[in-house]
Amino acid sequence: MDPVANPQAPAATSLPRIGDPAPQFTADTTFGTLKLEDFRGSWLILFSHPADFTPVCTTEFIAFAEIHPQLRELNCELMGLSVDSVYSHIAWVRNIQEKMGVEITFPVIADLNKEVATLYGMINPGESKTETSRAVFIIDGEQVVRAIIYYPLTTGRNMDEILRVVKAMQTSDEHTVATPANWEPGKKVIMPPPKSAEAAELRVSEEDVECTDWYFCKKDL
Amino acid sequence: MACIDRDGTLLPSGVVLLKGLVEQPMPPEDIAKHVGEPIFKVRGSLRELAAEGLVEEDGGLYKITELGRGMI
């Protein structure tokens, strides 16, 4: 809903784009005061949820905690955020442990003044003026925004996809390749298109490369 | 990681960090490996410990202060 259609809605703030430096912040969290720069050197999934003590968010927190060990193997950390107090966050994560038996092993930002949510454009006024959407910002070790995913309030996120995206981007970085639709580790990757006719000729003659045409070649890693 | 509570109480995670610095000054990355904690937690905790005068930073290395030694 745009502000013309709904003049009561505050103007949507911009969000950092893929390739931009991640906006720096200092925030109160369930792990104390943290700065974004504290995460430098490791990848970070900064995600927002609408509110504590809500069912979809609870399933997501459990699911994020379940993939946290796999993310750590990828040198990737997690940090949640909502417009709730740190006391609410503490009560909620304790409740999840008591009722569901799952320890929340990552910090959660208490963004009561919406400072971080505004920096990252996590509030979509057409959907809710007060709650953060289900935003996911994947930030690399150099603190550059590498991927952005948004889900609406009604729809819980897919952890397999979040893991897949991190693995795909790290694979691309390491091997200078791209990954095709529905790629999973172990599947063939896409080689960057040749820059010249000479390189194209060379590409199609390469062994161990599966070329449908000169611009569309895959290989195993 | 909040390793010092609002009333100034040094929490167990803070004690672990201070004990890790007894032998020698270290950069945050080495401390993280030494205590088995993620680097972001260590950086946040060192900031708190430094604010309370329990550690000092010099040239990227953190060392425990006499005040810090008295806390463990």
Side-chain angles (χ1 to χ4, degrees):
Chain A
M1 186 181 297
D2 67 39
V4 176
N6 178 11
Q8 301 303 314
T13 53
S14 63
L15 64 156
R17 306 298 206 277
I18 290 173
D20 285 352
Q24 294 292 324
F25 58 81
T26 301
D28 290 334
T29 82
T30 50
F31 284 23
T33 302
L34 288 175
K35 299 183 176 197
L36 179 67
E37 66 188 25
D38 291 337
F39 292 84
R40 186 175 290 281
S42 66
W43 288 57
L44 171 66
I45 294 173
L46 173 64
F47 69 96
S48 57
H49 66 278
D52 295 350
F53 292 102
T54 55
V56 176
C57 300
T58 302
T59 65
E60 288 191 316
F61 259 51
I62 291 170
F64 273 120
E66 286 173 348
I67 66 166
H68 198 188
Q70 294 173 74
L71 288 170
R72 282 210 166 138
E73 287 178 12
L74 300 170
N75 186 32
C76 183
E77 283 296 337
L78 276 168
M79 184 156 62
L81 175 152
S82 73
V83 185
D84 288 293
S85 70
V86 76
Y87 303 110
S88 172
H89 287 335
I90 291 169
W92 187 39
V93 299
R94 287 176 64 87
N95 179 265
I96 291 171
Q97 178 141 28
E98 286 169 13
K99 303 294 184 189
M100 271 67 86
V102 176
E103 181 185 3
I104 301 304
T105 50
F106 49 84
V108 188
I109 294 173
D111 198 31
L112 276 175
N113 60 8
K114 303 178 187 172
E115 185 179 332
V116 181
T118 302
L119 268 178
Y120 282 79
M122 291 168 163
I123 294 176
N124 290 272
E127 184 179 44
S128 172
K129 297 184 189 72
T130 56
E131 298 165 305
T132 41
S133 298
R134 302 185 193 282
V136 178
F137 286 83
I138 303 179
I139 298 165
D140 70 16
E142 299 299 316
Q143 307 224 293
V144 172
V145 175
R146 298 293 300 274
I148 303 170
I149 309 170
Y150 272 71
Y151 282 61
L153 300 177
T154 53
T155 310
R157 283 161 279 205
N158 185 309
M159 300 302 140
D160 289 340
E161 173 59 5
I162 290 170
L163 267 173
R164 193 192 73 91
V165 172
V166 173
K167 290 175 182 173
M169 290 189 296
Q170 292 185 348
T171 298
S172 293
D173 287 357
E174 185 178 353
H175 299 283
T176 319
V177 294
T179 52
N182 300 321
W183 179 85
E184 294 283 354
K187 290 187 175 178
K188 289 183 188 297
V189 297
I190 293 178
M191 302 174 73
K195 281 184 168 178
S196 65
E198 182 184 5
E201 191 63 31
L202 190 64
R203 173 68 55 83
V204 296
S205 65
E206 281 185 52
E207 291 185 5
D208 303 325
V209 172
E210 176 188 300
C211 286
T212 305
D213 204 341
W214 63 271
Y215 69 92
F216 185 11
C217 297
K218 295 180 182 178
K219 68 174 182 180
D220 288 313
L221 288 177
Chain B
M1 178 182 290
C3 63
I4 300 174
D5 209 352
R6 288 189 199 279
D7 64 358
T9 303
L10 182 65
L11 299 174
S13 59
V15 174
V16 168
L17 273 189
L18 289 179
K19 285 182 175 175
L21 291 172
V22 166
E23 295 297 322
Q24 60 179 344
M26 280 191 274
E29 293 78 8
D30 290 358
I31 299 169
K33 288 177 189 163
H34 186 67
V35 300
E37 291 286 359
I39 185 67
F40 80 88
K41 282 188 181 179
V42 170
R43 286 178 179 143
S45 293
L46 287 171
R47 196 163 47 240
E48 287 188 349
L49 295 171
E52 295 298 322
L54 304 180
V55 300
E56 288 175 348
E57 187 263 338
D58 184 15
L61 298 178
Y62 282 83
K63 66 178 181 182
I64 189 168
T65 63
E66 284 307 311
L67 186 60
R69 287 179 190 276
M71 298 290 282
I72 57 177

